[in-house]
Amino acid sequence: MPSSKTAEFPPGAFLEKTFEVHVEADVTYGVAGIGYDPAHGARRYRPLKLDIYRPRETTRTPRPALILAFGGAFHRGSKSEEVFEGEAPSTAMAEYCREFARRGYICFSIEYRLMQEDPDPGVTPVLPNDLVFKSDRINYVRGLLGLPPCTPLMLRNTIEASTDDMSKAVAYVRSQAAALGVDASRIAIGGFSAGGTIALHAAFAELAPVAAVVVLSGRIVPGLLDTCRRTGIDPPPVLLFHGENDLPDIFDSQEPMRVRMNDLGIASDSWVVPGRGHFYLRTAQVVSKAGGTPSDVETAMAAFLHDRLRF
């Protein structure tokens, strides 16, 4: 439940951009295994890094936090940029972090393990044994990188590992909340494409304790939204975006996902980016599926977080 300690924040806080931003790069938030072999485990471990974007102005009252993960079909991208040759332009999570830090949030752009690292899937499996998760886009990107199509086991291990990494980032921010100046009850997570996918899985399959989820063209394995119902945990609200001409794997999942959230009592807002495919800028115009006032991606995000985090 979001805290009520907001006295220091004036009306319009977290909506208007009024702050200069300080960036602290390459902070270690965890350690994780790579070079995984089912018979022998991980060959080695590497640090997981994040970049922190924060307003230069300090306050006595803790600030809300936003943790974002980049996209790239679990193969490309980084916590600092998401520019892919031959693809339409898209706003990097690092840029979203900077813009929301200007609004007053403390933001974290995280890295996570990619498929070609052979990540260790860990000991907290969440995916069903009969995993159904289309990999057309993933195999397209693997082809661009000169790699053969992935196997179901590779896909499973990567989703498990990257979901663990997002959950570790949440745990890190919560454990360091006092030092970071973060309100641990107001942590939102999200990301683009693969990053949005791992945010959904962290929140609804691993039950990372977050207050909201923002998903830019991401999806969740069918059935995992039901985990909250089975555990009785109050689910976080979700903001969904997708392009009008998004990838089939993404487009086809949006309506069933939205309907299931509604059936489960998971509060959600859903926006479409007219005329765009899988890639779109934060300034792209969006239209609400509920018939609300047209906006743009970033403004819709800001309004959702302001409303759902209860300022």
Side-chain angles (χ1 to χ4, degrees):
M1 181 69 66
S3 165
S4 61
K5 298 185 296 182
T6 59
E8 241 187 294
F9 301 130
F14 311 109
L15 290 173
E16 301 173 0
K17 299 180 183 180
T18 60
F19 298 101
E20 294 184 356
V21 177
H22 171 75
V23 182
E24 183 179 0
D26 294 328
V27 175
T28 298
Y29 73 87
V31 177
I34 57 175
Y36 177 75
D37 179 276
H40 303 98
R43 286 199 300 270
R44 66 184 182 90
Y45 291 81
R46 75 165 179 87
L48 298 168
K49 303 285 189 177
L50 56 76
D51 297 340
I52 306 174
Y53 296 75
R54 67 174 82 237
R56 288 189 179 274
E57 179 182 313
T58 60
T59 61
R60 294 187 304 274
T61 306
R63 293 184 176 279
L66 181 58
I67 304 172
L68 295 177
F70 62 88
F74 296 102
H75 283 80
R76 305 185 294 179
S78 74
K79 60 184 173 61
S80 57
E81 65 176 25
E82 296 164 71
V83 178
F84 307 126
E85 184 178 354
E87 305 283 11
S90 184
T91 298
M93 293 303 101
E95 186 173 335
Y96 279 106
C97 283
R98 185 177 296 277
E99 295 305 314
F100 276 85
R102 291 180 62 199
R103 297 177 188 269
Y105 290 82
I106 298 178
C107 301
F108 304 84
S109 182
I110 72 167
E111 68 175 8
Y112 54 90
R113 289 167 292 167
L114 302 177
M115 188 178 289
Q116 59 267 47
E117 296 182 274
D118 294 324
D120 185 339
V123 295
T124 57
V126 296
L127 301 180
N129 291 329
D130 56 345
L131 174 65
V132 177
F133 199 80
K134 293 182 180 180
S135 56
D136 294 357
R137 176 66 179 182
I138 293 169
N139 285 328
Y140 168 77
V141 171
R142 286 182 65 82
L144 294 178
L145 298 176
L147 300 171
C150 70
T151 66
L153 181 60
M154 292 166 63
L155 179 57
R156 174 190 296 274
N157 287 351
T158 301
I159 296 175
E160 294 279 14
S162 55
T163 299
D164 281 351
D165 295 347
M166 173 60 87
S167 296
K168 286 179 182 177
V170 173
Y172 171 82
V173 173
R174 287 179 60 85
S175 70
Q176 300 298 313
L180 292 167
V182 165
D183 182 345
S185 71
R186 285 189 167 102
I187 298 174
I189 62 175
F192 165 62
S193 194
T197 294
I198 67 174
L200 281 168
H201 285 84
F204 291 98
E206 290 205 342
L207 304 179
V210 299
V213 185
V214 176
V215 183
L216 300 154
S217 292
R219 53 188 168 138
I220 189 169
V221 170
L224 291 186
L225 287 172
D226 295 59
T227 304
C228 287
R229 169 182 281 182
R230 293 194 297 269
T231 59
I233 292 176
D234 190 25
V238 182
L239 177 62
L240 298 168
F241 295 94
H242 70 86
E244 182 182 19
N245 305 310
D246 217 310
L247 301 171
D249 294 353
I250 297 296
F251 187 90
D252 293 344
S253 69
Q254 297 305 301
E255 188 62 14
M257 187 164 56
R258 188 190 66 79
V259 169
R260 190 57 184 156
M261 286 180 180
N262 184 66
D263 291 343
L264 293 169
I266 300 170
S268 67
D269 297 339
S270 185
W271 296 80
V272 179
V273 189
R276 303 302 301 177
H278 190 54
F279 298 93
Y280 40 86
L281 299 173
R282 62 181 174 84
T283 55
Q285 295 298 297
V286 293
V287 177
S288 171
K289 284 194 172 181
T293 304
S295 183
D296 60 72
V297 174
E298 185 187 336
T299 301
M301 284 177 60
F304 169 84
L305 292 172
H306 184 272
D307 177 50
R308 297 301 185 174
L309 299 183
R310 301 180 189 175
F311 293 107

